[in-house]
Amino acid sequence: GGAVRVAPGGELTLRRVTLADNAAAQGAAVYAAGARLTIEDSTLSGNSAALGGAIYLDAGTLSLARSTVTGNRAASGAGLYVAPPAAAGLQRVTLTGNTATAAGGAIYAAGSVTVAHSLLAGNEAGSRGGGLFNDHATVQIDYATFMNNLAPAGGALDGTGTSTLRYSVLAGRALCAGAVLGGGNLAD
């Protein structure tokens, strides 16, 4: 991690912090390996890495709440990269303007990801999943808004795993590709 690295077995809580303009191979703002990470009321912006522009979660768990992840860059997972068998939970998070040259503009999910009451807007991927790319993972999304995310396949959501999307709003072009289950969604 360019700014913060959490070692296996470690536990870290970040509250009301800004992690900006960092660079690393993985997780330019935060790299956590087999650790328990909590980030609340924070901003992660302008970070750049090959994988996980802002956060790279390698095993362990992440709780990300009431935070903004914006303007980060990576090959995959510009906002957040979740490697297996990691698990990430996002609650009331805003992910905007993140850019991946390959997949997962905002989120690349190879581990378990839950997203609730969050906004994914204006994120972009060069190949698949402008908002989120599901790589054979378990993804649950409830009460989220996907707006104007861009990718050649699945501007909002794409993947090789099955995602469950419920009570959410999707707006923009090329909304979903791949297997998506759920209901109660509104798409324009």
Side-chain angles (χ1 to χ4, degrees):
V4 177
R5 183 178 182 91
V6 188
E11 186 173 335
L12 177 66
T13 298
L14 299 172
R15 284 191 188 98
R16 294 179 293 282
V17 300
T18 297
L19 299 172
D21 304 320
N22 298 289
Q26 296 175 323
V30 181
Y31 177 90
R36 197 156 99 188
L37 176 63
T38 302
I39 302 173
E40 299 173 341
D41 306 303
S42 296
T43 300
L44 291 83
S45 66
N47 300 289
S48 180
L51 299 174
I55 302 168
Y56 187 96
L57 186 63
D58 184 8
T61 62
L62 166 67
S63 173
L64 180 61
R66 301 175 310 278
S67 296
T68 299
V69 180
T70 186
N72 300 288
R73 302 182 65 79
S76 291
L80 169 64
Y81 190 105
V82 182
L90 286 67
Q91 177 80 19
R92 300 191 189 286
V93 175
T94 299
L95 296 110
T96 60
N98 299 291
T99 303
T101 56
I107 301 169
Y108 187 101
S112 172
V113 174
T114 60
V115 178
H117 301 282
S118 295
L119 170 67
L120 290 85
N123 301 290
E124 188 171 349
S127 63
R128 301 173 71 183
L132 185 146
F133 181 78
N134 178 346
D135 184 1
H136 297 93
T138 300
V139 173
Q140 173 74 47
I141 303 164
D142 293 306
Y143 301 101
T145 300
F146 288 80
M147 289 179 44
N148 301 320
N149 297 289
L150 299 173
L157 178 63
D158 189 14
T160 54
T162 300
S163 300
T164 302
L165 178 68
R166 299 182 307 186
Y167 312 110
S168 296
V169 175
L170 295 99
R173 299 179 314 182
L175 298 177
C176 294
V180 179
L181 304 176
N185 301 303
L186 177 64
D188 98 7

